[in-house]
Amino acid sequence: MKKMKYLLYYVKKGGRLFGIAVILFLLMLIVNPAISDTVYVDPVGGTLHNGGGPQLNGAADPGYHHSLSVASSYVSASQTGLYWFETSWGVYASHATNVTYAVSGKNVLSVNQQRNVAGLAASGEWSGFNPLNTGGLSVLYLTNGVSEITSVAGGGGVHTRGLWRATRLTGTLINPNTFGKASVSSSAPGCGSYYYTTLATNYFAIGTRLAPGVYKLDISWGVHGSHSSDVVYSYNQTGIGNLAGATDVLYGVNQRGMNDGRSFDNRSFAFNTWSGFRELGVFTVEAGSQIWLRGSGTLTMGVIQATPLGTACYIDPPDGIVYAKASIGGPVMNGGTVQRYSYDNIPCSSWISHNTNGSYWVEISWGVYSTHNNSVSYGADGVNCLSAVDQTKDAVGGAGSGTWSGFKALNPTGTNGIPLIAQGSAITAIANGTGALSRGLWRVSPITGTLINPTSFGMGVATSSSPGDGNYYAIAVGPGVFSIGSVLPAGYYRLEISWGVDSINCDNVTYSYNRTGMGGVERAETMLTGVDQCKMNDGRYFSKPVSFQSGTWSGFKELGDFHVEAGTQIWVDGDGALTMGVIQATPVLPPTPEGTLISIR
């Protein structure tokens, strides 16, 4: 249906022959499936021993393989990147006493398979996981289809292999040591422990460990038979109200099982096991942000991974704190699946900046309804930025009933930022007319460099709040290109891209970079994949159908640091309508040269 919508649209714009060409092009596209960040690797070869450890892939029962040949190997099938890699084996008195594990030919670990990871003898049991990484925060670089993990038996005895696990590391690892008491795990990254409490609810102040921003958060826990089997995770962006102000984001987590739910046999092991990462979601993190857990039985929290996804800060309306009422509409709120705006008969509302000092693009929104206030003014630090906003209409003046307004910028022009001071600056909404004051999701984006309008990319579509010229640019099918080198002086830049948000857009966009421009897209290097242009920059989505009639700007998403010269191009490709919004280019220092300096006399 999505493809038909944009095909019909562009056939109207470009004619019948163009529409036929579009359809023929779509028939040639291939979509690659996403690769999971955690891969469980079954043992191969030898004889299966039922019992011992977590269940194998696709099996109802756990097990390990014994009587393997002297050498056993696994070639990485995961996406190329940095990994935490864990191995396991079967424990028995007749097993090999000296098994050496290597990564791409380099020995990293030797174990006695007559004992488990805690050094204890057992009979027909699982060893527990043991990492091949050499330290708590060390990483292994694995190349898809190339890097090889091997185990070689020495010292006599039977060579065994249990379930292995490869976990991709993408961000900062955080030890939640304020959550409770520490318990040593056999294989967890970070400090090698998880933290537990017997309280029915408890939290970790994630905002005290991260700079403000948007992050994908992956959580973990300790696996043990005494832990809670039905844990609820909640997120409170501001910390106001503690658990009462938090939104439930993950339900039914069984902390007696692994991250993907696979269970253990009923044996009691003499060690605690790390669950592996499970994605909690994408969140805006502020200084007061909290992750809450609740459930019956022991609650545990292991190392947290925080992967930065953008520089924008999304600000929820403060339901139940300032506003008494809420309704559905707009993009999803932080840490949840609910679209919401707030409204109440109150005179004003404000937000204190938690961002670092700097210049920002500030966007506000509200709920549109006939009983809402017909004259609202918005300001920053006492300076009036926007007056006479009628909340019975949306951001472009259209009437609505219980819908989201769309974003509207407080900035005076398309390129001028509003200065904000951390913990000091206030954004304020004041009701001057009649009716309830409403507040939707707000967004604050740093302006750090030059804003570039990619006008040559395609057809312009007006947005309600985009910086730059207020448009994004669209094409029916890819690949599409923008010659960024033609509008920037040569040098090194951090590039942030944006797009138009619409349900007809491609949901799996790839961005590529060609420094010289020679060879076009065929010579371009892929820099970012899997961008969903139906959603915002951090992945949050809209209620369906979207009733707001004006094009919506995604917000910035970082592409990376690049050397730009006269011919440099950014290529965009994917299965569907493709868009490109304003680009931000911030000068950065050149990379530090590597190698040895040789003096020639």
Side-chain angles (χ1 to χ4, degrees):
M1 178 60 72
K2 179 192 299 181
K3 294 177 182 177
M4 285 303 299
K5 284 174 67 180
Y6 82 72
L7 279 174
L8 291 173
Y9 175 77
Y10 283 102
V11 166
K12 290 179 183 178
K13 294 287 183 182
R16 183 182 301 172
L17 291 177
F18 180 70
I20 294 171
V22 169
I23 294 171
L24 291 174
F25 182 83
L26 285 170
L27 293 175
M28 296 186 293
L29 293 176
I30 299 174
V31 178
N32 293 322
I35 301 175
S36 173
D37 280 347
T38 302
V39 176
Y40 284 88
V41 184
D42 279 343
V44 292
T47 303
L48 174 66
H49 173 86
N50 282 317
Q55 63 194 100
L56 302 176
N57 293 313
D61 299 314
Y64 62 82
H65 286 197
H66 63 86
S67 302
L68 273 68
S69 57
V70 172
S72 177
S73 68
Y74 161 73
V75 176
S76 176
S78 303
Q79 181 177 347
T80 298
L82 303 174
Y83 283 85
W84 188 259
F85 197 96
E86 299 159 274
T87 183
S88 71
W89 57 91
V91 182
Y92 204 80
S94 61
H95 289 177
T97 58
N98 185 20
V99 177
T100 301
Y101 296 84
V103 180
S104 299
K106 181 180 179 180
N107 293 342
V108 293
L109 181 70
S110 293
V111 303
N112 180 353
Q113 292 193 344
Q114 295 182 5
R115 298 183 179 273
N116 63 23
V117 294
L120 302 176
S123 180
E125 292 190 2
W126 182 59
S127 66
F129 281 126
N130 206 332
L132 301 190
N133 303 64
T134 56
L137 292 174
S138 66
V139 295
L140 294 174
Y141 187 83
L142 301 181
T143 303
N144 175 263
V146 176
S147 296
E148 186 176 26
I149 312 295
T150 59
S151 60
V152 179
V158 175
H159 185 195
T160 78
R161 185 172 142 185
L163 196 67
W164 290 2
R165 177 165 62 183
T167 302
R168 187 164 177 250
L169 301 179
T170 58
T172 301
L173 299 181
I174 301 168
N175 296 310
N177 53 1
T178 60
F179 184 79
K181 297 180 180 179
S183 182
V184 176
S185 169
S186 66
S187 66
C191 65
S193 295
Y194 65 80
Y195 299 87
Y196 69 93
T197 180
T198 56
L199 298 174
T201 63
N202 204 18
Y203 75 96
F204 174 64
I206 186 76
T208 64
R209 303 290 186 88
L210 290 171
V214 179
Y215 297 86
K216 180 173 79 73
L217 298 180
D218 298 295
I219 47 89
S220 69
W221 57 89
V223 179
H224 195 278
S226 66
H227 293 171
S228 176
S229 60
D230 191 19
V231 179
V232 177
Y233 287 77
S234 306
Y235 186 77
N236 187 328
Q237 179 182 322
T238 64
I240 298 173
N242 293 318
L243 180 60
T247 301
D248 292 346
V249 295
L250 188 61
Y251 303 87
V253 173
N254 180 9
Q255 293 194 340
R256 300 173 186 176
M258 310 297 281
N259 56 349
D260 64 348
R262 69 182 66 213
S263 59
F264 281 76
D265 61 10
N266 295 323
R267 302 172 191 231
S268 176
F269 298 107
F271 49 84
N272 291 311
T273 303
W274 178 56
S275 65
F277 287 129
R278 179 165 179 177
E279 184 174 327
L280 190 63
V282 174
F283 305 91
T284 295
V285 176
E286 302 181 8
S289 298
Q290 302 167 331
I291 300 174
W292 282 86
L293 276 67
R294 69 179 189 271
S296 57
T298 300
L299 303 175
T300 76
M301 185 176 281
V303 65
I304 300 169
Q305 179 170 243
T307 304
L309 296 181
T311 54
C313 178
Y314 286 87
I315 305 154
D316 283 347
D319 302 349
I321 300 168
V322 178
Y323 297 81
K325 303 172 184 177
S327 187
I328 302 298
V332 295
M333 311 306 294
N334 294 311
T337 58
V338 179
Q339 299 89 3
R340 188 169 62 225
Y341 64 80
S342 298
Y343 64 99
D344 201 0
N345 289 308
I346 57 175
C348 62
S349 175
S350 64
W351 171 76
I352 304 297
S353 175
H354 296 300
N355 298 66
T356 54
N357 298 345
S359 183
Y360 289 85
W361 190 257
V362 180
E363 299 163 274
I364 48 90
S365 72
W366 57 91
V368 181
Y369 205 80
S370 59
T371 59
H372 290 175
N373 203 279
N374 60 5
S375 182
V376 179
S377 60
Y378 295 84
D381 290 342
V383 177
N384 190 50
C385 298
L386 198 61
S387 299
V389 174
D390 186 351
Q391 293 191 341
T392 68
K393 299 179 180 180
D394 64 26
V396 293
S401 181
T403 60
W404 183 59
S405 67
F407 283 124
K408 193 171 184 68
L410 302 192
N411 301 62
T413 71
T415 57
N416 289 346
I418 293 176
L420 296 180
I421 299 172
Q423 307 300 326
S425 294
I427 308 298
T428 304
I430 301 175
N432 301 305
T434 59
L437 179 64
S438 178
R439 186 172 141 182
L441 195 68
W442 291 3
R443 178 166 60 184
V444 178
S445 304
I447 302 296
T448 58
T450 301
L451 299 181
I452 301 166
N453 299 305
T455 54
S456 62
F457 183 78
M459 179 181 65
V461 180
T463 76
S464 63
S465 68
S466 173
D469 65 0
N471 292 299
Y472 65 80
Y473 296 86
I475 58 176
V477 292
V481 64
F482 176 64
S483 297
I484 193 165
S486 66
V487 295
L488 279 178
Y492 288 89
Y493 296 89
R494 175 164 297 123
L495 299 180
E496 295 172 277
I497 47 88
S498 70
W499 56 89
V501 179
D502 197 298
S503 59
I504 68 171
N505 289 346
C506 179
D507 59 5
N508 189 21
V509 176
T510 296
Y511 289 81
S512 303
Y513 171 82
N514 187 324
R515 182 173 60 84
T516 64
M518 297 176 63
V521 68
E522 298 299 328
R523 298 291 297 273
E525 180 182 358
T526 299
M527 302 307 299
L528 187 63
T529 61
V531 172
D532 187 346
Q533 291 194 344
C534 304
K535 300 178 180 180
M536 311 295 278
N537 58 347
D538 65 347
R540 69 185 65 219
Y541 54 89
F542 284 78
S543 53
K544 304 294 183 183
V546 176
S547 56
F548 179 58
Q549 298 302 308
S550 179
T552 302
W553 176 58
S554 66
F556 289 125
K557 188 177 182 72
E558 186 174 316
L559 190 61
D561 292 355
F562 301 92
H563 182 219
V564 174
E565 52 189 64
T568 300
Q569 301 168 328
I570 297 176
W571 286 88
V572 186
D573 201 3
D575 176 18
L578 301 169
T579 72
M580 184 177 282
V582 65
I583 300 169
Q584 180 162 237
T586 304
V588 295
L589 294 173
T592 303
E594 296 182 356
T596 302
L597 181 62
I598 301 175
S599 177
I600 302 176
R601 297 178 184 272

